[in-house]
Structures are given as structure tokens and as C-alpha cells.
Amino acid sequence: MADVLPLVEARLSGALGEPDARAAVTFLGTDRIEVLRFHEGDVVRYATLGMSAHPMTDPTAMLADPVAGPRAELVLSVRAGRADTDRVLRPLAVLAASPQVEGLVVAPGASLDVGGPLWPGAPFTSVLVGESGGLVEDLDLDAPMDPVRFLPLLPMTPNEAAWKRVHGAQALQERWLAHGTDLRDPVRRSVPLDD
């Protein structure tokens, strides 16, 4: 099987331009995860590279399929210059390693918690996984491999995460939309949840 990571990096660069920085994190017992940084106007984007090297496996499966299964990378977009968002590299790498470490299958609608602020002073401790296909198109691979999906991450405040657990991802996204929430604002307040 071909190494998918060069194809993934080429797709990211084609959609977002050349990265202006990269950092690598390796966790015990896992493959290396890189986080690439891209600047576009007043927006900075962070994309993982390495999560898609292996398919994600259902933790209840008796045997892990080394070829077939969902593959993904994570993309976070924030407004530049309003917070020290470059410190998000390690939390992003932790999230990208979670399929290998915890046997998670990361899919749209899921909540991922990092157990602390996404970056120093961030009002967010978790993210909502969005639908792929918008910013970076899915990358088709040779059969029987599943395509690589580039999943946007939408930062959530603790109150939003709690509200989402009760009402669901769709309801939270509709509330953000109804209130004109700027999900790229790294210092935004929680959307009103009590009306």
C-alpha cells in the first residue's frame, strides 16, 4: 500500500497554500503526528498530518483491518493575532493521536475534549467535529482504502459542550448560526443557551 501522508500533505498544500510552520509530536506507542500552520489573510489554519496514516478502527471490533476503515485529518481555523493560538499544536496532536491511543473513531458531530484550554487563556476546552468537504476536499485513495476526510474543528466553551450533550450537534450548530457566532474568533464568548 502506498504511503498516504505525502498525498495528504499535497492535498492540504493545494487547498491552503504552503505551510509556514510545522511541529511534530510523538506519543509513546504511536506514530508521529505533525501539525502544519497555514496563513490566509487574517485567518490562521492548523492541520494535522499523520492521523490518516492508518484507518480508524471500531474499538468493539475483534480484529483491526489494516487497510479499510475511515481515515481523517483535523483542521482548525482561527483569526490571527487575537490570542496565542500557536500553543494549540500539542492539543491538536493529542486529538489526532486519539484513534491510535484510545481506539476512537472521529466522525462529524463528535465532541473531543482536551482536558484544558486549547491554548493559554482560551475559553474552549473541547471541539465539535464538523462535516468534511468544505475547506479541503476529501482525498480518494485506491480501493479498498477509504478516502481521507479533512474534518473542521469548531471550538466549544464548556457550557456549549454541555448543552450539545443534551441537545445534539445539529442544534448547537443551528444556535451558532442563528446568533451569527464567529466560530473563528479565538476569544469569543459562549453563544446564549437559555432562550
Side-chain angles (χ1 to χ4, degrees), residues 44-62:
V44 60
R45 302 186 200 283
Y46 302 93
T48 63
L49 179 63
M51 182 177 171
S52 62
H54 305 285
M56 293 180 275
T57 306
D58 183 342
T60 62
M62 292 297 284

PDB file of all heavy atoms in Angstrom, residues 44-62:
ATOM      1  N   VAL A  44      -5.568  32.012  10.489  1.00  0.00           N
ATOM      2  CA  VAL A  44      -4.510  31.016  10.579  1.00  0.00           C
ATOM      3  C   VAL A  44      -5.187  29.662  10.717  1.00  0.00           C
ATOM      4  O   VAL A  44      -6.178  29.514  11.427  1.00  0.00           O
ATOM      5  CB  VAL A  44      -3.519  31.306  11.741  1.00  0.00           C
ATOM      6  CG1 VAL A  44      -4.207  31.312  13.084  1.00  0.00           C
ATOM      7  CG2 VAL A  44      -2.370  30.328  11.748  1.00  0.00           C
ATOM      8  N   ARG A  45      -4.671  28.697   9.956  1.00  0.00           N
ATOM      9  CA  ARG A  45      -5.250  27.353   9.985  1.00  0.00           C
ATOM     10  C   ARG A  45      -4.189  26.365  10.445  1.00  0.00           C
ATOM     11  O   ARG A  45      -3.029  26.461  10.031  1.00  0.00           O
ATOM     12  CB  ARG A  45      -5.749  26.951   8.599  1.00  0.00           C
ATOM     13  CG  ARG A  45      -6.779  27.900   8.039  1.00  0.00           C
ATOM     14  CD  ARG A  45      -7.351  27.400   6.723  1.00  0.00           C
ATOM     15  NE  ARG A  45      -7.965  28.447   5.948  1.00  0.00           N
ATOM     16  CZ  ARG A  45      -9.157  28.976   6.189  1.00  0.00           C
ATOM     17  NH1 ARG A  45      -9.860  28.580   7.201  1.00  0.00           N
ATOM     18  NH2 ARG A  45      -9.638  29.931   5.415  1.00  0.00           N
ATOM     19  N   TYR A  46      -4.611  25.435  11.275  1.00  0.00           N
ATOM     20  CA  TYR A  46      -3.736  24.368  11.757  1.00  0.00           C
ATOM     21  C   TYR A  46      -4.319  23.049  11.257  1.00  0.00           C
ATOM     22  O   TYR A  46      -5.510  22.788  11.452  1.00  0.00           O
ATOM     23  CB  TYR A  46      -3.676  24.367  13.279  1.00  0.00           C
ATOM     24  CG  TYR A  46      -3.206  25.673  13.869  1.00  0.00           C
ATOM     25  CD1 TYR A  46      -4.110  26.657  14.251  1.00  0.00           C
ATOM     26  CD2 TYR A  46      -1.845  25.930  14.031  1.00  0.00           C
ATOM     27  CE1 TYR A  46      -3.683  27.861  14.783  1.00  0.00           C
ATOM     28  CE2 TYR A  46      -1.405  27.137  14.569  1.00  0.00           C
ATOM     29  CZ  TYR A  46      -2.338  28.094  14.938  1.00  0.00           C
ATOM     30  OH  TYR A  46      -1.906  29.293  15.464  1.00  0.00           O
ATOM     31  N   ALA A  47      -3.494  22.242  10.607  1.00  0.00           N
ATOM     32  CA  ALA A  47      -3.959  20.956  10.083  1.00  0.00           C
ATOM     33  C   ALA A  47      -3.032  19.853  10.569  1.00  0.00           C
ATOM     34  O   ALA A  47      -1.809  20.001  10.552  1.00  0.00           O
ATOM     35  CB  ALA A  47      -3.985  20.986   8.554  1.00  0.00           C
ATOM     36  N   THR A  48      -3.630  18.747  10.990  1.00  0.00           N
ATOM     37  CA  THR A  48      -2.825  17.608  11.415  1.00  0.00           C
ATOM     38  C   THR A  48      -2.361  16.825  10.190  1.00  0.00           C
ATOM     39  O   THR A  48      -3.000  16.849   9.144  1.00  0.00           O
ATOM     40  CB  THR A  48      -3.612  16.683  12.354  1.00  0.00           C
ATOM     41  OG1 THR A  48      -4.735  16.129  11.659  1.00  0.00           O
ATOM     42  CG2 THR A  48      -4.070  17.434  13.603  1.00  0.00           C
ATOM     43  N   LEU A  49      -1.248  16.139  10.356  1.00  0.00           N
ATOM     44  CA  LEU A  49      -0.709  15.271   9.309  1.00  0.00           C
ATOM     45  C   LEU A  49      -0.144  14.035  10.004  1.00  0.00           C
ATOM     46  O   LEU A  49       0.810  14.150  10.766  1.00  0.00           O
ATOM     47  CB  LEU A  49       0.388  15.994   8.516  1.00  0.00           C
ATOM     48  CG  LEU A  49       1.051  15.194   7.394  1.00  0.00           C
ATOM     49  CD1 LEU A  49       0.044  14.820   6.311  1.00  0.00           C
ATOM     50  CD2 LEU A  49       2.210  15.982   6.790  1.00  0.00           C
ATOM     51  N   GLY A  50      -0.775  12.902   9.773  1.00  0.00           N
ATOM     52  CA  GLY A  50      -0.329  11.663  10.399  1.00  0.00           C
ATOM     53  C   GLY A  50      -1.480  10.817  10.907  1.00  0.00           C
ATOM     54  O   GLY A  50      -1.388   9.594  10.991  1.00  0.00           O
ATOM     55  N   MET A  51      -2.586  11.464  11.246  1.00  0.00           N
ATOM     56  CA  MET A  51      -3.757  10.737  11.743  1.00  0.00           C
ATOM     57  C   MET A  51      -4.289   9.765  10.690  1.00  0.00           C
ATOM     58  O   MET A  51      -4.784   8.684  11.010  1.00  0.00           O
ATOM     59  CB  MET A  51      -4.831  11.756  12.126  1.00  0.00           C
ATOM     60  CG  MET A  51      -6.090  11.191  12.703  1.00  0.00           C
ATOM     61  SD  MET A  51      -7.170  12.584  13.174  1.00  0.00           S
ATOM     62  CE  MET A  51      -8.670  11.701  13.556  1.00  0.00           C
ATOM     63  N   SER A  52      -4.181  10.134   9.414  1.00  0.00           N
ATOM     64  CA  SER A  52      -4.740   9.318   8.331  1.00  0.00           C
ATOM     65  C   SER A  52      -3.811   8.206   7.860  1.00  0.00           C
ATOM     66  O   SER A  52      -4.161   7.466   6.948  1.00  0.00           O
ATOM     67  CB  SER A  52      -5.098  10.210   7.144  1.00  0.00           C
ATOM     68  OG  SER A  52      -3.929  10.843   6.638  1.00  0.00           O
ATOM     69  N   ALA A  53      -2.638   8.063   8.467  1.00  0.00           N
ATOM     70  CA  ALA A  53      -1.705   7.013   8.040  1.00  0.00           C
ATOM     71  C   ALA A  53      -2.308   5.627   8.212  1.00  0.00           C
ATOM     72  O   ALA A  53      -1.986   4.698   7.469  1.00  0.00           O
ATOM     73  CB  ALA A  53      -0.397   7.121   8.821  1.00  0.00           C
ATOM     74  N   HIS A  54      -3.195   5.481   9.194  1.00  0.00           N
ATOM     75  CA  HIS A  54      -3.869   4.204   9.448  1.00  0.00           C
ATOM     76  C   HIS A  54      -5.360   4.450   9.545  1.00  0.00           C
ATOM     77  O   HIS A  54      -5.791   5.511  10.017  1.00  0.00           O
ATOM     78  CB  HIS A  54      -3.379   3.590  10.765  1.00  0.00           C
ATOM     79  CG  HIS A  54      -1.893   3.430  10.828  1.00  0.00           C
ATOM     80  ND1 HIS A  54      -1.215   2.445  10.150  1.00  0.00           N
ATOM     81  CD2 HIS A  54      -0.951   4.157  11.470  1.00  0.00           C
ATOM     82  CE1 HIS A  54       0.078   2.563  10.389  1.00  0.00           C
ATOM     83  NE2 HIS A  54       0.271   3.602  11.174  1.00  0.00           N
ATOM     84  N   PRO A  55      -6.182   3.476   9.143  1.00  0.00           N
ATOM     85  CA  PRO A  55      -7.627   3.659   9.307  1.00  0.00           C
ATOM     86  C   PRO A  55      -8.019   3.621  10.777  1.00  0.00           C
ATOM     87  O   PRO A  55      -7.369   2.956  11.589  1.00  0.00           O
ATOM     88  CB  PRO A  55      -8.223   2.475   8.546  1.00  0.00           C
ATOM     89  CG  PRO A  55      -7.138   1.466   8.450  1.00  0.00           C
ATOM     90  CD  PRO A  55      -5.845   2.218   8.488  1.00  0.00           C
ATOM     91  N   MET A  56      -9.059   4.373  11.110  1.00  0.00           N
ATOM     92  CA  MET A  56      -9.588   4.324  12.477  1.00  0.00           C
ATOM     93  C   MET A  56     -10.395   3.031  12.608  1.00  0.00           C
ATOM     94  O   MET A  56     -11.072   2.606  11.675  1.00  0.00           O
ATOM     95  CB  MET A  56     -10.470   5.545  12.742  1.00  0.00           C
ATOM     96  CG  MET A  56      -9.684   6.835  12.757  1.00  0.00           C
ATOM     97  SD  MET A  56     -10.703   8.300  13.080  1.00  0.00           S
ATOM     98  CE  MET A  56     -11.299   8.670  11.430  1.00  0.00           C
ATOM     99  N   THR A  57     -10.308   2.426  13.773  1.00  0.00           N
ATOM    100  CA  THR A  57     -10.925   1.127  13.986  1.00  0.00           C
ATOM    101  C   THR A  57     -11.960   1.196  15.087  1.00  0.00           C
ATOM    102  O   THR A  57     -11.715   1.792  16.136  1.00  0.00           O
ATOM    103  CB  THR A  57      -9.847   0.098  14.379  1.00  0.00           C
ATOM    104  OG1 THR A  57      -8.833   0.111  13.388  1.00  0.00           O
ATOM    105  CG2 THR A  57     -10.417  -1.292  14.485  1.00  0.00           C
ATOM    106  N   ASP A  58     -13.094   0.564  14.842  1.00  0.00           N
ATOM    107  CA  ASP A  58     -14.130   0.452  15.860  1.00  0.00           C
ATOM    108  C   ASP A  58     -13.548  -0.294  17.060  1.00  0.00           C
ATOM    109  O   ASP A  58     -13.047  -1.410  16.911  1.00  0.00           O
ATOM    110  CB  ASP A  58     -15.318  -0.319  15.280  1.00  0.00           C
ATOM    111  CG  ASP A  58     -16.480  -0.432  16.253  1.00  0.00           C
ATOM    112  OD1 ASP A  58     -16.271  -0.236  17.468  1.00  0.00           O
ATOM    113  OD2 ASP A  58     -17.594  -0.717  15.793  1.00  0.00           O
ATOM    114  N   PRO A  59     -13.589   0.329  18.259  1.00  0.00           N
ATOM    115  CA  PRO A  59     -12.971  -0.321  19.416  1.00  0.00           C
ATOM    116  C   PRO A  59     -13.625  -1.654  19.792  1.00  0.00           C
ATOM    117  O   PRO A  59     -13.035  -2.442  20.510  1.00  0.00           O
ATOM    118  CB  PRO A  59     -13.116   0.714  20.536  1.00  0.00           C
ATOM    119  CG  PRO A  59     -14.124   1.686  20.063  1.00  0.00           C
ATOM    120  CD  PRO A  59     -14.141   1.638  18.566  1.00  0.00           C
ATOM    121  N   THR A  60     -14.852  -1.919  19.296  1.00  0.00           N
ATOM    122  CA  THR A  60     -15.513  -3.183  19.611  1.00  0.00           C
ATOM    123  C   THR A  60     -15.166  -4.286  18.622  1.00  0.00           C
ATOM    124  O   THR A  60     -15.552  -5.436  18.813  1.00  0.00           O
ATOM    125  CB  THR A  60     -17.047  -3.003  19.639  1.00  0.00           C
ATOM    126  OG1 THR A  60     -17.488  -2.603  18.337  1.00  0.00           O
ATOM    127  CG2 THR A  60     -17.457  -1.964  20.679  1.00  0.00           C
ATOM    128  N   ALA A  61     -14.445  -3.952  17.547  1.00  0.00           N
ATOM    129  CA  ALA A  61     -14.087  -4.967  16.544  1.00  0.00           C
ATOM    130  C   ALA A  61     -13.061  -5.939  17.117  1.00  0.00           C
ATOM    131  O   ALA A  61     -12.159  -5.547  17.857  1.00  0.00           O
ATOM    132  CB  ALA A  61     -13.531  -4.290  15.294  1.00  0.00           C
ATOM    133  N   MET A  62     -13.212  -7.211  16.755  1.00  0.00           N
ATOM    134  CA  MET A  62     -12.286  -8.237  17.241  1.00  0.00           C
ATOM    135  C   MET A  62     -10.899  -8.051  16.632  1.00  0.00           C
ATOM    136  O   MET A  62      -9.895  -8.217  17.297  1.00  0.00           O
ATOM    137  CB  MET A  62     -12.824  -9.634  16.904  1.00  0.00           C
ATOM    138  CG  MET A  62     -14.075  -9.995  17.681  1.00  0.00           C
ATOM    139  SD  MET A  62     -13.792 -10.071  19.450  1.00  0.00           S
ATOM    140  CE  MET A  62     -12.945 -11.615  19.600  1.00  0.00           C
TER     141      MET A  62
END
